[in-house]
Amino acid sequence: MHPNTEQNILTAQAKAVDEQPKNTKEFIETLIHNPNDSFSVIDAKNFKIILVNRAFLNAHNVEEREVIGRPCYEISHHRSRPCEPPEHTCPLSETLRTGDPSSAVHIHYDKEGRKKYFEIKTSPIRDEKGEIHQVIHISHDITEYKKAVEALRESEDRYKRLISSVTDYIYTVTVQDGRPVATSHGPGCVAVTGYTSEEYGADPFLWYRMVYEEDRQAVLKQAEHALTGTNVTPLEHRIIHKDGTIRWVRNTPVVRKNEKEEVISYDGLISDITERKQLETHFLQAQKMETVGRLAGGVAHDFNNHLTVITGHCDLALLELHEKDPFRSHMEEIKRAADRAANLTRQLLAFSRRQVIQPKVINLNNLILNIDKMLRRIIGEDIELLTLLKTDLESVEVDPGQFEQILVNLAVNARDAMPKGGKLLIETANVELDEVYARSHVSVTPGRYVMFSMSDTGMGMTAEVREQIFEPFFTTKEKGKGTGLGLSMVYGIVKQSKGNIWVYSEPGKGTAFKIYLPWVDMPLEEVKEKRIEKELHRGSETVLVVEDQEEVRRVAVEILRRQGYNVLEASQGDEALLICEQHERPIHLMVTDVVMPRMSGPELAGRLALLHPEMKVLYMSGYTENAIVHHGVLDEGVNYIQKPFEMHGLGRMVQEVLNK
Ligand code: ADP
Ligand code: MG
């Protein structure tokens, strides 16, 4: 202590002694009328109150005449006898027992029975013989303080209960001078990240490393904000769980500051939002596919008309040209290019789910076994093909031709992914997808499905690639090798068959595609083999061609005339009606476009049925027009040829319909 300070204190003490009140009674009165502490003197023999001050009366909410001469236990505790241990440790009894001053926190009740907390001090007053005859009882009201403590404890309890009931991960960062000095990790860290709090304790950089690399910058920024207590907002980012999977979390920090507005700590709540994120992504993906699909479908539709003209004229020109004609090879090249283009539009239509499908109830196992030979040819000898086909596989309703396309496309991709050979496994199974599965997979309705999967041991793909594979024209293959349409088509076909497709893949490990098709309780249907003929069909019946696109009409007319038919032509419905009215001999067949201005193909057919009941109808279209197709499925009994068609194809179809 500084010598000067010591001097000062000594002087002050001397002065205080000097200024002691001369009148002791006055001093005592001042003391006992202290407004904060209740003061009473109690008779040691019978606990009767002899003297009280104003603070006592106020605290007990009583008048002086109500208390003087009454036992203290009656007034303060509303009891009929003195308080006794162990029921009650009364400092007054304690002083009487030991003869020493005593103190305790005690509960008193005021006149209305309100509970009050007092910090109590008691001291004995002895008579000349040294016997205790009275006790001084001073009590300090700490009710407000007690209430505050209780409220705090209750809120802490509630907080603890809350913490132990959430599965989220809560961490606390202690901050000093704007820098983190310690971090504690709540028990939820195991559930969310896979690591225990001990592991975090042992490695201060574990948390940082666990954050997905691309998100680390944002996480650091958030921590910076938390340390300074400004702009603190929740952040959604990715982490790598101990099991190696990528998870999405939401990190919400809450900052605590001292009275100087300095951050002393912050608590963070980290919750796993992976499921929600996945749903969001799936949803956006589905929306994008829908939009791209509509666009692709539109383009394919227009293209098909042009391709019909190109292909048709090539076929006609080839008919004219002599075997040795030098122009022949040019025409053949054009034809091949047109075929490739037609293949492209077919894929686009399949992707956009605007292809006309003719579903049949089939058993996928049969279909797989049927094209087993072709699959083996596709994948080559270095790749081993294994099949695990479920016996008693349930039936599904799909277009068999389209499902073959799925198989071929998946197999081609698997082959490309295994340039050094490997294994290709095809599996089928009956499965039941429940509510839980449906909740985490957008667009899945719970129910019974037939599962088809194709897995390879190839190069696999990264998450980025995986997210885009179903998009048309997405390819990682070198120019000329991939079109990026294979999986788009697969996707479209699966969707159009009311199924779902999922892909599981990891770089270096391989890829598995799983397709789920709803199972149907219907008898199997017979699947006819497609015949491929190059013979030109010939006929002599009368055929009416109705098509508003002049070039398309001309080529169709020309093709049919070449095949010997007697052809009538009209560019639209009215004209066709007129021709039919004037034509007195039978018209055996009408080949008509579906959508035309003013009158649709089906409408026209309806009107003509009265004039020429013998007339059959063949629709030609490049699109799933709603007039003859519902939900992509061709109406019962409708004859249909897809544009672009070849000369042989049209000829065969016409003959087939005429012979029905
Ligand atoms: P393409 O085969 O013409 O590239 P696809 O639509 O069939 O187009 O496939 C798109 C992309 O998906 C491929 O370029 C490839 O990156 C990836 N992919 C498809 N199947 C596999 C597979 N089995 N293994 C690895 N990557 C695949
Ligand atoms: Mg492909």
Side-chain angles (χ1 to χ4, degrees), residues 409 412-413 477 486:
N409 274 295
V412 167
N413 283 344
K477 294 171 190 172

Side-chain angles (χ1 to χ4, degrees), residues 430-445:
N430 299 323
V431 296
E432 190 134 12
L433 302 182
D434 58 12
E435 287 287 349
V436 179
Y437 183 91
R439 226 180 302 134
S440 58
H441 292 76
V442 177
S443 69
V444 170
T445 2

